[in-house]
Amino acid sequence: MPLARPHSLSGTLTPFLYPAISVARRTCRPPFRCHSTTTAPEAHSPQPHPSRLDPAADDYSLTPFADRCILTVEAGGGGHGCVSFLREKYIEEGPANGGDGGSGGNVYIQAVRGETSLHKLARRRLIKAGRGRNGQGKVKGGERGSDTVITVPVGTIVREIQRHDAVALMEQEYEQEQWKRERGAVEEEEAAEGKASFRKDRWLVYPGTIPSELNRMKFPELPRPRRSHLAALEPEAPMWLDLDKHMETPMLIAAGAMGGLGNTHFMTPFNARPKMATRGDEGLKISLQLELKILADLGLVGLPNAGKSTLLRSLSNSRARIGNWAFTTLQPNVGTVVLDNHKGRPLVTSRRPNGELRDNFTIADVPGLIEDAHLDKGLGLGFLRHIERAAVLAFVVDLAAGDAVSALQLLWREVSAYETQRGQELNAETERRMVTYRPAGRSPRPHPATDLVDSPPHLDPSPDPLPFLTSTPISSKPWFVVATKADLPLTQPNFEALRAYLADVTAGSLPHPSGRKHAWKRNVHAVPVSAIQGEGVHMIPQLVMDLLEE
């Protein structure tokens, strides 16, 4: 299948402004009707209203946008156990009947297509699930805490910064106490220090218990710390997620803590009325860094004032700011191009990799790049990373602003330099992670089969190295050139030079603009458009769909 169908490069500008690239043959392929390239476009491609594409200076909408944020996620804590006793008419002092506390709520994360920014999460800072209710009398367990779902845009990267796991600390403490108890060290320490076994952070006692009675009480051994069975579904710590696909179901990232035990668990043949219960466990706290690398189907790359925002308006219903000055766009704008509005024959027929019919695709308008943008000049470095997550790149070149070939080569130099810089960072990160750090004076951890009997258990193993994010190199992505402002006079020679240059790059007689060996060179096209008039833009969706299929 050819990369671009012949009818995808036919439009209103090509025949009378650029006859050299007009296609002479007729094409007929569903869902388009048969038409000649020298005729006017069909009725299914209406011309946008010129006033919308050339609005006033104050006619725009500024959508809140945040591409990264730090978020604290806290699972719900468990409810406390209940200290209660049976009280009936003919039972004066009944046995214990306190219920257990409810478990805390879980925290889930889900990537959905409808979201395009992280500004909602950046304002919240803290997301906490509901706490479990306390237990009640008559052996009634507490109600479970409410769950929380975090919705993020598709293409969000989740990195764990820090975590506080209270249950892990209790497990470590429990193992150490068990190791000491086997050697009788716990009883000797308590007898020497004269301390009671009551711990305020772990036990609850019957209301009204006076301190003298509390000192005489004999508390049982603390039960082993418990975890929810859903904790097995949590990602392995430290968390490192690349949510690059739409998720039908949310993913669990923090399971709720278990509730405390009621006093019924501490009944013995010699004590049917225990006056203690355990407190609920503290929920898991995780600090996450969320970074959005816009995973758009098409990314617009160009110099300032090249017409990217106008092109975005002409292709979608976006109300991006348009002005005749540089750096009109200060943050990425995301637009959606509707291919099928379910009111008739679709404009373009395409399917997603999973076989689902595609009814739209997204466009990311990246702020203009200047020379040395990879060195953090202008607005380049902060937004160049969004280009990494675009499936197809469209280099927007202004035909009326000078040599189009030089402008294209400048854009590719910046993108290639950024790609080289990112590769060096990944290599340095690889070398850093290959080194196994061990504190001075600490002997290597013995194998479990050779552990000494008298040595305490090691409970702090070093975490596994974080996995790398895999992505296609920028130079290997499919790309094409959009030559804007083609309705202005004396732009035909500039476009002819650009078209001839791309033909030489495709044929291999000239190197790729990025200078890389395995860069994309297959049938690179230049599409002349007049975005402000809405002419020639209707050929871009079909071209993008063809490149996505490749």
Side-chain angles (χ1 to χ4, degrees):
M1 183 185 69
L3 181 61
R5 304 186 181 105
H7 64 266
S8 66
L9 294 180
S10 63
T12 57
L13 284 171
T14 302
F16 64 89
L17 286 181
Y18 305 94
I21 66 169
S22 61
V23 185
R25 62 178 181 176
R26 295 167 58 88
T27 305
C28 181
R29 178 169 180 176
F32 295 93
R33 301 178 181 176
C34 298
H35 62 86
S36 173
T37 56
T38 59
T39 60
E42 295 291 337
H44 64 270
S45 301
Q47 296 295 332
H49 199 277
S51 62
R52 182 183 175 277
L53 301 180
D54 190 14
D58 57 349
D59 183 13
Y60 68 93
S61 62
L62 186 61
T63 304
F65 183 84
D67 58 353
R68 60 173 58 187
C69 69
I70 295 179
L71 191 66
T72 301
V73 174
E74 183 176 351
H80 303 321
C82 178
V83 181
S84 176
F85 305 100
L86 178 64
R87 296 186 63 182
E88 293 184 358
K89 184 176 181 180
Y90 298 104
I91 300 179
E92 183 178 358
E93 294 183 353
N97 66 349
D100 299 340
S103 58
N106 307 320
V107 180
Y108 297 86
I109 191 169
Q110 184 177 12
V112 295
R113 295 195 187 101
E115 298 288 339
T116 57
S117 174
L118 297 174
H119 67 278
K120 299 178 183 178
L121 299 178
R123 290 196 297 259
R124 296 183 62 178
R125 299 294 182 92
L126 173 63
I127 295 181
K128 186 176 181 180
R131 178 182 174 273
R133 296 294 185 90
N134 298 335
Q136 302 178 18
K138 299 183 179 179
V139 203
K140 290 183 179 180
E143 184 180 354
R144 183 175 173 273
S146 58
D147 298 336
T148 301
V149 180
I150 305 172
T151 57
V152 297
V154 177
T156 301
I157 297 174
V158 182
R159 298 184 179 93
E160 178 181 330
I161 301 177
Q162 184 182 9
R163 81 165 47 206
H164 173 69
D165 192 352
V167 180
L169 297 178
M170 290 190 297
E171 290 176 349
Q172 182 178 6
E173 182 181 357
Y174 180 82
E175 293 292 338
Q176 293 176 353
E177 290 182 357
Q178 289 295 112
W179 178 78
K180 293 180 180 179
R181 194 177 299 276
E182 293 176 359
R183 291 150 185 81
V186 175
E187 288 78 2
E188 294 177 1
E189 290 180 359
E190 293 180 355
E193 298 177 1
K195 294 183 179 179
S197 57
F198 170 69
R199 292 185 52 180
K200 189 176 182 180
D201 60 333
R202 300 292 300 276
W203 289 105
L204 285 175
V205 295
Y206 190 75
T209 303
I210 58 178
S212 59
E213 182 182 359
L214 184 63
N215 292 332
R216 293 193 302 267
M217 291 177 59
K218 180 65 176 178
F219 288 85
E221 180 184 353
L222 281 170
R224 188 181 187 89
R226 301 173 300 157
R227 287 186 181 271
S228 171
H229 61 282
L230 296 176
L233 302 177
E234 295 178 355
E236 186 178 358
M239 195 181 308
W240 186 285
L241 305 175
D242 186 7
L243 308 178
D244 59 348
K245 296 181 181 179
H246 175 77
M247 302 170 59
E248 297 294 340
T249 57
M251 175 191 297
L252 177 68
I253 58 174
M258 297 296 294
L261 301 177
N263 61 342
T264 54
H265 292 269
F266 306 104
M267 295 175 60
T268 63
F270 306 100
N271 185 11
R273 294 173 55 86
K275 295 184 178 181
M276 73 285 293
T278 59
R279 294 179 179 270
D281 297 336
E282 185 180 351
L284 174 64
K285 296 181 182 179
I286 308 177
S287 296
L288 302 175
Q289 181 189 31
L290 276 62
E291 181 180 358
L292 175 60
K293 295 183 177 180
I294 300 177
L295 200 152
D297 298 311
L298 179 64
L300 302 181
V301 185
L303 296 173
N305 203 24
K308 300 184 299 297
S309 299
T310 308
L311 180 63
L312 179 64
R313 272 191 174 233
S314 62
L315 288 171
S316 65
N317 291 328
S318 174
R319 293 186 59 196
R321 188 174 191 177
I322 295 177
N324 192 17
W325 61 85
F327 297 110
T328 307
T329 303
L330 299 178
Q331 64 181 17
N333 295 317
V334 182
T336 302
V337 179
V338 178
L339 301 177
D340 186 5
N341 57 4
H342 306 286
K343 294 182 180 180
R345 180 175 297 179
L347 179 65
V348 179
T349 300
S350 179
R351 292 185 179 272
R352 301 183 186 273
N354 58 1
E356 179 185 357
L357 280 174
R358 186 190 298 268
D359 55 2
N360 59 63
F361 70 93
T362 56
I363 301 179
D365 175 19
V366 182
L369 305 180
I370 63 173
E371 190 173 0
D372 294 336
H374 67 282
L375 301 178
D376 205 11
K377 290 186 178 181
L379 302 175
L381 189 60
F383 302 106
L384 269 171
R385 64 176 179 270
H386 297 296
I387 304 176
E388 295 181 274
R389 307 287 283 184
V392 179
L393 300 180
F395 288 84
V396 183
V397 178
D398 185 3
L399 294 178
D403 188 6
V405 176
S406 300
L408 177 62
Q409 292 175 348
L410 172 62
L411 292 174
W412 263 116
R413 282 199 303 269
E414 295 305 319
V415 173
S416 179
Y418 173 75
E419 185 178 352
T420 302
Q421 181 179 348
R422 289 286 294 168
Q424 295 174 355
E425 292 177 359
L426 288 178
N427 292 337
E429 186 72 11
T430 302
E431 295 178 359
R432 184 184 67 83
R433 291 179 182 177
M434 291 177 61
V435 177
T436 303
Y437 171 75
R438 191 178 304 279
R442 179 177 175 180
S443 59
R445 181 181 179 182
H447 192 271
T450 61
D451 280 343
L452 300 178
V453 177
D454 295 335
S455 62
H458 295 271
L459 300 171
D460 53 347
S462 58
D464 296 333
L466 299 176
F468 290 107
L469 298 177
T470 58
S471 61
T472 305
I474 301 178
S475 58
S476 300
K477 295 179 181 293
W479 62 283
F480 63 97
V481 180
V482 179
T484 60
K485 305 180 184 179
D487 57 330
L488 299 179
L490 303 179
T491 58
Q492 291 86 347
N494 199 5
F495 179 79
E496 286 297 329
L498 175 63
R499 185 186 64 85
Y501 172 75
L502 295 179
D504 293 339
V505 171
T506 303
S509 57
L510 289 178
H512 192 271
S514 64
R516 298 187 176 271
K517 182 178 180 181
H518 300 288
W520 179 277
K521 297 182 180 180
R522 290 182 296 199
N523 203 4
V524 182
H525 292 281
V527 182
V529 300
S530 175
I532 199 170
Q533 300 293 337
E535 295 181 347
V537 297
H538 68 278
M539 65 185 75
I540 295 179
Q542 180 64 70
L543 182 58
V544 173
M545 291 300 102
D546 291 338
L547 294 176
L548 287 176
E549 291 177 2
E550 290 290 326

